[in-house]
Structures are given as structure tokens and as C-alpha cells.
Amino acid sequence: MPQYTPPIRDTRFVLEHVVGLDRYANVAGFAAATPDTVEAVLEEGGRFVAEVLFPLNQSGDLEGCTRHDDGSVTTPKGFKEAYARFVESGWGTLSAPEAFGGQGMPHVVSTAFQEYMISANMAFAMYPGLAHGAIAALVVKGSPEQQQKYLPKMVSGEWGGTMNLTEPQCGTDLGLIRTRAEPQADGSYRITGTKIFISAGEHDLTDNIIHLVLAKTPGAPDSSKGISLFVVPKVLVEDDGSLGARNAVSCGSIEHKMGIHGNSTCVMNYDGATGWLVGEEMKGLAAMFIMMNAARLGVGLQGLGVAETAYQNAVQYARDRRQGRALTGPAEPGEKADKLFVHPDVRRMLMDGKAWTEGLRALCLWGALQADLEHNADAEEDRQLAGDLLGLLTPVIKGVGTDRGYQIATNAQQVYGGHGYIREWGMDQYVRDARIAMIYEGTNGVQAMDLVGRKLAQNGGRAVQAFGRLVMTEIAAGKANPAVADLAQRLEKAAGELQAATMWFLANGMKDPNNVGAGAVPYMHLVGTVAVGLMWLRMATAAARLKGEGAGDAAFLDAKLVTARYFAERVLPEAGSLRRQIEGGAEAIMALPPEMFAAA
Amino acid sequence: MPQYTPPIRDTRFVLEHVVGLDRYANVAGFAAATPDTVEAVLEEGGRFVAEVLFPLNQSGDLEGCTRHDDGSVTTPKGFKEAYARFVESGWGTLSAPEAFGGQGMPHVVSTAFQEYMISANMAFAMYPGLAHGAIAALVVKGSPEQQQKYLPKMVSGEWGGTMNLTEPQCGTDLGLIRTRAEPQADGSYRITGTKIFISAGEHDLTDNIIHLVLAKTPGAPDSSKGISLFVVPKVLVEDDGSLGARNAVSCGSIEHKMGIHGNSTCVMNYDGATGWLVGEEMKGLAAMFIMMNAARLGVGLQGLGVAETAYQNAVQYARDRRQGRALTGPAEPGEKADKLFVHPDVRRMLMDGKAWTEGLRALCLWGALQADLEHNADAEEDRQLAGDLLGLLTPVIKGVGTDRGYQIATNAQQVYGGHGYIREWGMDQYVRDARIAMIYEGTNGVQAMDLVGRKLAQNGGRAVQAFGRLVMTEIAAGKANPAVADLAQRLEKAAGELQAATMWFLANGMKDPNNVGAGAVPYMHLVGTVAVGLMWLRMATAAARLKGEGAGDAAFLDAKLVTARYFAERVLPEAGSLRRQIEGGAEAIMALPPEMFAAA
């Protein structure tokens, strides 16, 4: 039976020593995040997901969602009751605005909880997760009336929410959208079209679902500049807040997916459904990006969350399973075989899982801190810096978090040998679930293009320069500290590869923009390697200091130092290879005519 | 709808210019492989698998196999009829010994066909594939009576065959086997025990299934030195060759797997089944390795075969799907969007698929040539060299072929975006099917240990030295040829990294064998990168020469040269990173006590 334990001690270590939560007590929202409150969220929230959501993870995968002839959808057994408890205990409201019934806590805190929820049950976590994206858009772009009408019940979790972007003919390229919005005399619009891959599009968890839908108004340009955002409730909401008539939106079918079977991914048919414009006409793309950026950070967190559970189970299996003997001679001569843990290659996979999950956790929480500071820091320059760092790192957290998440889940499955391939052990689910995170909310290739095509050049390269200064400052401090000097030196080398790659783009991107496109994904991984390396430098520095002070659990601190060393010795060297791939440029990649790709 | 076209032109190019089939006309078996015969195998065999087996691939995945209450198993719709046609047309007999009804062709030729069969339907291909392993063991270790009794019908395909090694408590560590073999007065044995993960263990394709089973005789040592191999037919065979009574072996259940649903992977119960010793008592491990080495090459070929189909479909999708615009400006301004092929990152994934599938095809066929030469070359030193190279490269073909196969399939799925995650498009099946190949017949970690722990050191390192000489000789020739000099130089650098890594093992393995274990998988990939680099050097050399001569299709030859360049610029640089990972050694990997792996 699979198991999951929320990594509370590790989260706490990151919040204290990487995020430095106590330094931001003066920032709006952080006052609420007292050590006691944070501890309660981690402990109680962790218990809730482990006891209520995790037991439904495997059964939800096996059962999946069911669409009935009337278009209604039943979620897997137990989801409805678990969701009711989720709403009741308020776990979805942690960082929602107090004005709409939220608890107004920093994103850092809700992100810590969300990781646990994803680890326990990714498919379940997507129901409130998608609502959060819709909430974010309404908070920024909704009219006061729309906000009052929808937000309190969306924030409480009483109502669900979705993001309707994709259509059969368009995913990334939203300019191709065909869904139409016809203005009506009363100021509303009639929405007509088909949306696909709509997560949580229809289900039985809530009385209402508030769809945010991209569509085109009459005469709008045939490009992404012509799209507008609409709010389309499943059930119309009367002015007194009561539920009215059913709107003309329905689930046409549930997609047959490789994984996340517990989430109802729907084809949604809009047949003249009544909707209302959110924000300005033809400014839908900007509104969409509010949802999207929140969602991308959430998807990066999915990479981490699923990987964590897969990793934990692989660790347990390596402790239990006996097979073969240590290379250095029998570790337990009295037993017929040693445990898997004696084998260096099994440990290599587990150390890789450990180094990346702990490193990505630090990066995700530190990224969430930037989201908080971007809005709430006192000084304009602090808000700008946080916004720059967050913008730069959002595609990295999404792309690298999910690429590595899939790799960690695959390695965890590998530790099980043949048993990893068999449904009973549950390991294949983590791989299948992790796979989607590399694709949705913009494929990882799209993330990489967002990074190199938009974020690098914005404001004269301000963000990447700020990131570089931060990294180099902390490296300089690390080099002066004998306890972490080797790691700092290796990180300096990796950061040098990143700088060289950035310079190469500058020098060669003007000649041929394909040179940048061809190096985009390796570059994203190069930034991710340096960013997670920075997290490890912070963690190792803190661990060495605490150890020197005799504070904390020495074994825990030693483990941090060993894992930091693993990252330095085994992961950071990839930076050189990534740089050289980038410097390979676009020529060989773009040279062949498409018809020569077939070997036949 | 997924599609598959056998890459005949590419296979032909490899057979001519990498394998050099015409140079071996004097070797036993090769005389039969006339150009016309080979052409007929590729054309007719390719047509057979594309027309008969591929249409059953997706339906077989969706339906899976069904076990009935009486223990019988039904394969997916259409498999039985397709198998009958397979047997009738003799596609399974290509390289089987003529003495037992085979066609006696070189393995090079049957390997080319097998790749096509796997590409068309991996789950189907496993039915005859497993029989081939059983045949190989009986050909070498079976008594003349056993050979006459079983081999002709196994070779023809009239009967199936299996390999029964794994038990619930033991996979890799065969010393832990509990299945017992009690000698009987008539010279037979009564076999009792449970085997799991038995591919093609029970099915409706053949009248009989010949199980080869590892078991322990009374008093045998409690280690792998105590195991013996037995032949246990599902239906006992009378002396006149007719089928007699049902033996006491049955399918207890079908495993619920992540993929290869079309193959019946069974729990097999032996309840005092009648079996006969194959070879000598307690020499089962050696006999098992005959099956296993054949099977490992076959599994490496699965990595290639599944990747090829996934790649072909991704190429087609990138040609059909319009999304976004080229970075250099609209490629087709008259259309609303350009095709996916304009995007450098899509091309990066496709070029990677092209470079690795074509490179692995060359390596698999060149490996098959070594299998032929090992047995049939005239000169003892040629046989020894071929045996050395094959032994060294078998774990590399298996491990690198399947790791890369999974990666290519994953990338191919990625090209589809969200549609890749949906069952209808068929891409998730390739990923799920490819996943098992990294696990069975020895996980890729076990392959890597076979490489560094056994194959490197055997005969004073003779094999790796021979491989190194071969690589350096061809690099020297390449450097003198302006058309391929850059590739040769880059390959020389990669080969230098390999040599340095080998030296590092020599220097540090004695101090601590875990240093070798910790670097085993990166080393395996380093050898694979150099070996496939050698294949590309050969292909590029031939393409440049033919182009200079004005022979052949210039576009095809140009594509070879461009793809070789891609491999040189984008893949070979990984060698340096792999070497540095190896040089990281075992310390950080082995330092933590197992209880410190949990982050909780």
C-alpha cells in the first residue's frame, strides 16, 4: 500500500532558513503568519490531506469520473465527502483576500499546504486549484458586482471555478479561438462554442461552477488581441445570491486520459450560454495571464508534489525489499540478502529524488514569497525586484519542476523493479499523473520560450541581471565560508555557464531568432539548475551554521549537508553540457525539410 | 489515428554502410542473405507487420487480455488470427537453425524484421519474442531428445515458449528462488512453486506452451549456484510428438500493468508439474544467461521499436497541426497559423528522436552482426573480438536503448501537447509500453552493473580495450576526412571522457567498489553515447562518400549528414557531464543512513 507523510520538518526548515519568514513580519499578511499559525497549518493541514485525501488517491485513479446521460458528472467514491470536509475546515481559504472571506495569509503558507494536498491527491487538489485561478482573475479584473456575486462562495469553496481556454484547433495559439460572444441588450453576452481539456469542468462537488471563458466578440481581430474574458456560471445567480436557472453550458464528454483520472477533464459545450464580460473587451489575454501565472506556479508545485510521494514510497521500498548483496560484502550476513539501500545505483536514484524534491520545495516557497512581496512589500524597489524574480522564475518553476518531477517519479518506479509496473503498488499512477504537468498551462517548451523570448529581454534584461547579482552575492559569501565553499565554487562555475549562455543568446539571437528557440529548453534547465543550486547553498549554509551552534537535530543537519554535496557533485556538472547544447545553435535543428524527418 | 511505416530505406542504408553485409558473404548463414532475400524480408515483412499487426496495437492496449475462471487466457480481438498468419508466413523462423526448421539467416536480418514487428505491436511481438529466448536455451543446453521433441514446433511458432525466473520475493537475486524440483524415479522432476511477471505465460495463440523454469533441487545451495533449469510443457508431449495430458501448471492471474496490455503477463502456479532438467543440475544460471542475453538485445530493440513509432507519429502531427508563428515571421502568411514544424523546440525534440532512433538502429544491427560473427566467423580471433564487443555492448544496447526509447516516446507525446495525454491519439500507449523495457530482463541499473562489474574487467579489460581501439581507429580516419572531421573531433573528445572515466574506475574501484556502482549508470550512458557516435561517424562517412560520387538520393544523404551534425553538436557534449558525475564518486551517495532519506 502506498503511503505519504507530509514533510513538515523540511518545510519548516525552508520557511525559516531559505524564505526567512520572520524577516517579513512588517509586510501585509505576514503578521497573520505567526510561527504558531504556520505550525498549525503544516501540522493540521498535513494531517487532513494524509488522512482524508491520500486514501482516495489510488481508488480515485482506478475508478475515475463518470459522465451520465444528462451531462452530470460523478467524481470517484469519497471525493464528495472529502471535499465537504475540505470546505468546512477552510483549507482552501488560507491566502484568499479577507475582503471575500479568505484568511489573508501569505502565499508562502498556502503554497506549503498546497504541496501537501497535491502529494496526497493531485487529481483532487485540482478541483480547488482551478478555482484559485478563476478567483485570481476576478479579484483583479472583475467588477465590484461580479466580485460580490461570485467571490465569497468561490473563496469558501462552496462553488467551483474553471479556466476555459483550449479548443480543438487551438491550445497555445489563443488567436485561433472560435468561441463567439454575442452582446445582448441587457449587457450580457451569449457564448457559443466548444472548449476541450477543461479540468473540473463538471462535477458533483459543488452546487455551482463559475467558468471563466475566453471568446471573441463580433468584429474582433482574428488574433490573440481579439479575445475577451467572460464569466459564465453553470447556474445563474440571482441578485439576492440565490441560485436561479441552469445556464446553457454542459459537459459533452469526459476525456480519456493517461492519468489524473480522479479529475473530470471535460469537453464543455457552450450553446448560447449567458456570460458577462470580465474587464475590458479584447483585453482577455491580459486577464488570462493572471489566471495563467498563478496556475503555472501551481503546476510547478504539482511536479514537486507528485515526485515527493513517489520518492517517499521508493525510500520505503528500498528499506523493506531484500535483493542481492552490498558490493563491499554482505551488510546483513544473517539474512539471505541485503536491503536495496546497499546498492549505490538505488541510492543514486533516491539521492537524486531527495536533492531535487528538497531543492524544488525551497524554490517553490521562495517563489511564493516573491508573489507576496511583489504585491505587499513596502518599498517600490522591493516590489519591483520581487516581481522581476517571480516573472523570470515562473516558467522555470513550471518547466523544471515538472520535467524533474516526472524524472523523479520514473526513478521511484524504477526502484521497485517489476513491481513498479504493476498497478497494485501504485507507482505507475505517479508517473502517469506527473506526465500531464509537463504539458498543461503551456507545455514546457512554451515555458522555455516565455523565459527566453519574453522574460529575458523585458526591461533591458533587468530580471536576469537581478537574479545574477543575487546568485553572485550569495556565492561570494559562500566561498568565504569553509563549510560550503566547495558547493559555492561549483555553483559559481554553473552560474558562469549560465552567464555565457545568456551572452551567447545576445550575440546570436539577433542573427537568427531560431538560435534562441533552439536553446530555450536547455536554457530553462540551466536557470533551474542554478536557482536550485542557490537554494542548496542557502540550506547548506544554514545547516552548517546551526550545526556549529549545536542547535537542532545533528542528523537532520548532516543530511542537508550531504544532500547539498550530492547536488554539487552530481547535478551542477550538467550546467556545462546544457551550455554546450545551447551553443550548438539552430542550424542543424532547422536545416532539414519536414519531409526528410521520416526515415521510411 | 496512429500510423506506422517501416523505415526500410534507413534499415537498408545501415545494412549496407554500417554493418557492411556484403563483406560477410563467406560467413555461415550470410550466403542465404542475398540482397534480394534481405530486400524481400524488409519489404514483405514490413508490409506484414504494418498491415496485420499495427492495426491491432491500439485496440489490444484498450482491450487487454482476459483470464477465465478455468485459468485459460484470451488475447485481444484479432491476435489469434494475426498470430496464425505470422506462423503461416514463417516470419518467426528467419534466423532459427535449419536443423529445426528455421531459415538459418543471420541475426542481422531477423533483428531488422523484429524491430518492425515491435514498432507495429510490441505486446504482440512479445509472444514469439519470449519463445525465441526459450529456443536459444534449448538449442545450446537441451538434450537431443528435448531438442527433437520441442524445437521444431517452437521454431515454427506452432507452440509458444516462456522464461520463468521471477518469484514474488526475488527478481534480480535469483539465489532467493523457492520453486522446488523433486526428482522422480523416471528421471523427471515434480516442479512446485509460484512464478510472477511471466510474459506470454498463458494464452490462446498456440496449442502448447513450453515453459523454461528455474527451480532448486533438494539439497542445492541456497544461492544462485543452486538453481537448475527445467523444461515444463503446458501440455505433456508424447513420444510420437502428439499432445498428451495437461500438466499441473496454470495461470493464477494476469498482472494489472501500466502498459503492454496486449501481452498476457501471468502469475504461474506450478503444482507438482512434470518437468525435465535442461543441461546439468545446478548449472541453471549459465543456461538462464543464454536466454537472458538474447532477451536483453531484444529488449534494447524494444526501446528503439516503440520510439520509432512514437517519433513517426510526432513527425506527422508536427506536419499537420498549425499553432503559432515562426520566430522569423509567418512561414505561411496565407494561413491563420504556421505548422508546428516551424518551432525550433518542436524540431529539437524531433531531431533528437531522429538522431537516436537512426543511431540505435545502427547499433542494434551492428550488435546483431557481432552475435553472428561470434558463432560463425572463420577465424578464432574474429569470433573472440565479436564476442567481446557483443558482451560489452549487450547491457548498453539494453540500458541505453530503453532509457532513450522512453525519452523519445515522452518527447513525441510532448509534441502533441494536450492531445498527447488523451487516449484517442495513441501517444500515451507508447510511453506506457516503453516504460517496461527499462525494467524487465534486468533493470537498467542491473545492466549498468553488468557492464562495469563484469564486462569491463573480464579478461583483463580486453573488451573495452578492443572497443576503444575500434573507436579510435575510425576517429583517426574520420579526422582525415574533411566531410566528417568535425564529428570525428567531437567524438574523440567524448571517447576521451570515456577513457578518463574508465581510468577513474580503475583508480578508485579498488579503494571502494561503491565508487564503481555509483557511476555505473552514467558510465553505461557514456559508452552508449560513444557507441552511437561511432555509428553516426560511419553513417556520415558513407553519406559524404556517396554524395561525392553522386550516388543515391541527395536529400536522403544530406539528411544523414545534418542528423550526424545534430548528434555531434547536441548529444556528444553530454559525455563531459557524464564523466564528471562518475568522478563525483560514491561518498555523497552512500553517506546517509537510510532513515535520513525521509524528509518528514
Side-chain angles (χ1 to χ4, degrees), chain A residues 327 344-345 348 570, chain B residues 449 452 505 512-522 586:
Chain A
L327 293 172
D345 189 60
R348 175 188 63 82
R570 304 282 292 211
Chain B
M449 282 310 299
V452 302
F505 277 161
D512 179 0
N514 285 330
N515 277 325
V516 178
V521 163

Side-chain angles (χ1 to χ4, degrees), chain A residues 201-439:
Chain A
E202 175 60 43
H203 55 73
D204 56 358
L205 302 183
T206 57
D207 293 336
N208 202 359
I209 301 172
I210 311 304
H211 303 292
L212 290 186
V213 184
L214 289 183
K216 282 185 178 164
T217 46
D222 215 9
S223 78
S224 64
K225 294 196 178 80
I227 56 182
S228 305
L229 183 67
F230 297 87
V231 56
V232 185
K234 171 182 165 183
V235 183
L236 296 170
V237 180
E238 304 292 343
D239 288 339
D240 65 358
S242 66
L243 292 181
R246 185 78 160 74
N247 205 348
V249 47
S250 61
C251 164
S253 63
I254 298 182
E255 313 276 10
H256 300 104
K257 308 185 298 288
M258 184 183 187
I260 48 168
H261 294 154
N263 197 273
S264 64
T265 310
C266 298
V267 174
M268 297 302 294
N269 295 322
Y270 292 83
D271 299 313
T274 305
W276 289 269
L277 187 64
V278 177
E280 291 177 60
E281 195 180 341
M282 295 189 269
K283 299 286 184 193
L285 202 66
M288 188 277 294
F289 264 113
I290 293 167
M291 298 195 278
M292 190 54 93
N293 283 327
R296 285 178 176 177
L297 290 169
V299 173
L301 203 61
Q302 289 182 334
L304 163 61
V306 176
E308 170 69 26
T309 308
Y311 162 75
Q312 284 191 15
N313 281 281
V315 167
Q316 191 58 48
Y317 192 76
R319 275 189 198 155
D320 294 343
R321 174 84 167 174
R322 292 180 180 280
Q323 204 79 183
R325 287 299 189 185
L327 293 172
T328 48
E332 296 179 79
E335 300 284 346
K336 286 193 177 177
D338 291 336
K339 293 181 170 175
L340 287 186
F341 246 109
V342 303
H343 301 301
D345 189 60
V346 170
R347 277 180 169 265
R348 175 188 63 82
M349 293 189 281
L350 295 177
M351 282 302 297
D352 211 65
K354 184 171 173 60
W356 275 105
T357 51
E358 294 180 16
L360 285 171
R361 179 171 301 117
L363 186 63
C364 286
L365 291 173
W366 186 67
L369 173 70
Q370 308 313 315
D372 289 317
L373 296 179
E374 180 187 18
H375 294 109
N376 296 325
D378 280 340
E380 161 64 22
E381 71 176 291
D382 290 346
R383 291 198 298 274
Q384 180 184 294
L385 174 63
D388 282 351
L389 291 174
L390 183 65
L392 186 77
L393 290 174
T394 294
V396 176
I397 288 172
K398 198 282 186 179
V400 176
T402 61
D403 275 359
R404 290 289 176 174
Y406 181 65
Q407 185 183 315
I408 294 163
T410 298
N411 276 344
Q413 183 186 28
Q414 190 77 7
V415 169
Y416 279 71
H419 297 275
Y421 200 66
I422 302 299
R423 192 193 291 164
E424 281 79 349
W425 290 87
M427 299 306 288
D428 79 306
Q429 183 188 350
Y430 304 126
V431 175
R432 289 185 288 102
D433 285 358
R435 183 67 187 90
I436 188 59
M438 298 153 74
I439 297 173

